[in-house]
Amino acid sequence: MTELPTSWRSVLPHLTTPLPEDRSPDRAAGGGIGVNLPMELVRQSIQPREYWQIPDEVLDAYRKFRPTPLWRATGFEEAVGAKVPVYVKYEGGNISGSHKLNTALAQAYYYKRAGVAELVTGTGAGQWGTALAAACALFGLRCTVFMVGSSLARKPYRGVLMRMLGAEVLASPTGTTRVSRETEGQGNSLSLAIGEAVEYAAGKEGAAFCIGSGETYSILHQSVIGVEAIAQLAELEADVDAVVGCVGAGSNFGGIALPFHAEAAAGGTRPPRLVAAESSSTPKLTRGVYAYDQTDATGTGPLEAMYTIGSSYSIPDSHSAGLRYHGAAKLVSAMRHAGQVDAVAVDQVEALEAGRRFTVRETVLPAPESGHALAAAARLAADGAERGVLVCVSGHGYLDLAAYQQLLDGELSDQAPAEEALLAAVSGLPRVEGARV
């Protein structure tokens, strides 16, 4: 039986080139808003050290829900006409209903040690907000969550759960922060919710902003998923040549996929194909540009090198709320640029249909975000993979039944961005040196 890993595994020692350095923004509204990180998180983001010991307090919390299950999804294979085995790693069996708790617990631990009294964040579909609320409750911190308003209206029980855990939940845009008053046309934007959280935390004594997905340290914490999966596949004597995860900013995909790259690099072998499944409404990896862009709507933080469709782009509403972020993590983006990561775009009808088939044949209800990964895995298993496919189901869909109801009623539609809108949103962004235009 697979044991709980005692170390996170970093891919940084195995990159072909160092990550591009961040740049200062052209403007610093409100005097410039800084985000103060505990030094351990800074070290985890920049040091090329492969293994990082998981603190005992975090391990104790992990033991309540980890290791998470991995199984061969034979029913799903039959439903999608798979020609090779499909293995599923399931991360929905904790209070947040998703993989987000892996880094929330770690971050709450490090911020608590750094003397912070309150953590503030932005969330899309609510899994990250719920995870942080739970972690703050466990480590004795206050928690404030800015949740994308359209998602909170669609999933009010996410807000109820966060409040049960002691968090204050605010629908974004709130109209109470400068960034929400000045930013128009981004009412469904995770970038705006994050911007409000950044501004709020900067103005409150003892508070700190924290983020759950795009940062290199959060991807490191999520590596527990892939480390477990490598051991579980070995126990099954199973071999895969494709690893799939859905990608918003990148922590779920990075968590399942990047340990496989590190394992292959350390052993001098060829890694499996690492496939990031994104929403066709937010296609940064498949239709975006590799450029320096801001991570939130304040425009005051450092510009990061990322594949982006532009932080100013008004993302259309959809049920793939956790994927509706304009850019991909700088680590995932750098590996995409180096040809070490592949990407596919999936529309929400195909994603939810894959989720429906998975529910019927595997009796597990996946979140809409996870449906994108399942749809991509189904494509690969039917045509593309030669030995097997591993896919991460990053969360459950019990609070997303309204989306499935629309699927069953034939009421879903998709809004892929028009090419001219994407070009306009990225027109002023400085490209990363050597990036293809």
Side-chain angles (χ1 to χ4, degrees):
M1 180 177 179
T2 302
E3 296 182 355
L4 175 64
T6 57
S7 296
W8 295 304
R9 190 172 190 176
S10 173
V11 76
L12 290 180
H14 303 295
L15 298 183
T16 53
T17 58
L19 294 180
E21 293 186 2
D22 295 348
R23 291 186 177 181
S24 298
D26 293 333
R27 65 186 182 91
I33 296 175
V35 177
N36 295 319
L37 285 176
M39 282 307 301
E40 188 66 4
L41 296 183
V42 174
R43 286 189 283 268
Q44 291 172 0
S45 297
I46 62 176
Q47 289 185 2
R49 194 168 99 200
E50 186 159 0
Y51 292 100
W52 296 79
Q53 185 173 352
I54 303 173
D56 288 342
E57 293 89 337
V58 178
L59 276 175
D60 288 342
Y62 279 179
R63 288 189 181 97
K64 298 174 183 176
F65 62 97
R66 306 208 67 90
T68 59
L70 181 147
W71 72 90
R72 180 175 174 180
T74 54
F76 184 68
E77 291 172 13
E78 183 178 351
V80 300
K83 298 175 183 177
V84 296
V86 176
Y87 299 93
V88 172
K89 180 68 167 167
Y90 181 61
E91 291 292 309
N94 62 70
I95 191 169
S96 73
S98 82
H99 69 291
K100 296 290 189 178
L101 194 57
N102 297 320
T103 187
L105 290 165
Q107 290 191 49
Y109 168 79
Y110 289 122
Y111 276 103
K112 175 79 171 187
R113 288 190 61 189
V116 170
E118 177 181 357
L119 291 179
V120 186
T121 197
T123 190
Q127 292 99 329
W128 166 242
T130 305
L132 189 65
C136 285
L138 187 64
F139 286 103
L141 299 170
R142 297 192 303 275
C143 183
T144 300
V145 178
F146 290 81
M147 183 170 175
V148 173
S150 61
S151 292
L152 182 58
R154 188 177 289 128
K155 304 170 188 179
Y157 293 121
R158 285 277 183 203
V160 172
L161 181 52
M162 286 183 255
R163 289 167 53 208
M164 280 185 63
L165 292 163
E168 181 180 6
V169 183
L170 304 169
S172 176
T174 63
T176 62
T177 61
R178 176 196 57 78
V179 68
S180 68
R181 292 190 297 268
E182 294 182 359
T183 306
E184 297 181 359
Q186 293 193 41
N188 293 314
S189 170
L190 180 54
S191 174
L192 177 54
I194 291 172
E196 290 206 79
V198 169
E199 180 182 333
Y200 177 91
K204 192 169 183 182
E205 185 71 25
F209 168 77
C210 70
I211 191 69
S213 184
E215 297 306 317
T216 303
Y217 56 80
S218 65
I219 295 175
L220 172 69
H221 303 153
Q222 296 296 352
S223 69
V224 68
I225 305 172
V227 171
E228 283 182 6
I230 290 170
Q232 289 168 320
L233 288 173
E235 285 183 358
L236 296 174
E237 298 182 348
D239 187 20
V240 298
D241 57 333
V243 180
V244 185
C246 60
V247 60
S251 69
N252 167 67
F253 169 74
I256 186 67
L258 300 194
F260 282 85
H261 182 86
E263 180 78 0
T269 60
R270 182 184 180 89
R273 183 181 175 191
L274 310 180
V275 182
E278 64 183 6
S279 167
S280 61
S281 68
T282 321
K284 53 266 186 175
L285 289 171
T286 54
R287 297 177 61 193
V289 298
Y290 193 31
Y292 288 93
D293 199 2
Q294 59 196 37
T295 58
D296 66 81
T298 66
T300 58
L303 301 177
E304 295 186 359
M306 65 176 78
Y307 275 91
T308 177
I309 56 172
S311 57
S312 65
Y313 179 73
S314 182
I315 299 170
D317 194 15
S318 76
H319 288 290
S320 55
L323 307 187
R324 296 175 60 259
Y325 186 62
H326 66 277
K330 59 185 174 184
L331 176 55
V332 173
S333 294
M335 295 183 70
R336 167 69 165 160
H337 183 61
Q340 298 162 329
V341 163
D342 290 337
V344 296
V346 178
D347 65 49
Q348 65 176 345
V349 175
E350 183 184 1
L352 286 165
E353 178 57 29
R356 185 193 67 78
R357 291 184 179 188
F358 190 80
T359 302
V360 171
R361 300 306 300 271
E362 299 297 327
T363 63
V364 172
L365 177 66
E369 294 87 349
S370 301
H372 292 71
L374 287 168
R379 294 181 192 175
L380 287 166
D383 183 19
E386 296 180 355
R387 299 189 301 275
V389 178
L390 171 66
V391 57
C392 185
V393 173
S394 57
H396 71 62
Y398 291 109
L399 296 177
D400 301 286
L401 287 171
Y404 284 104
Q405 180 179 5
Q406 284 190 284
L407 174 73
L408 296 173
D409 293 342
E411 297 175 354
L412 280 184
S413 61
D414 292 287
Q415 301 181 57
E419 190 65 25
E420 57 270 21
L422 290 182
L423 290 174
V426 301
S427 61
L429 298 179
R431 302 298 198 266
V432 178
E433 184 177 355
R436 298 179 296 275
V437 179

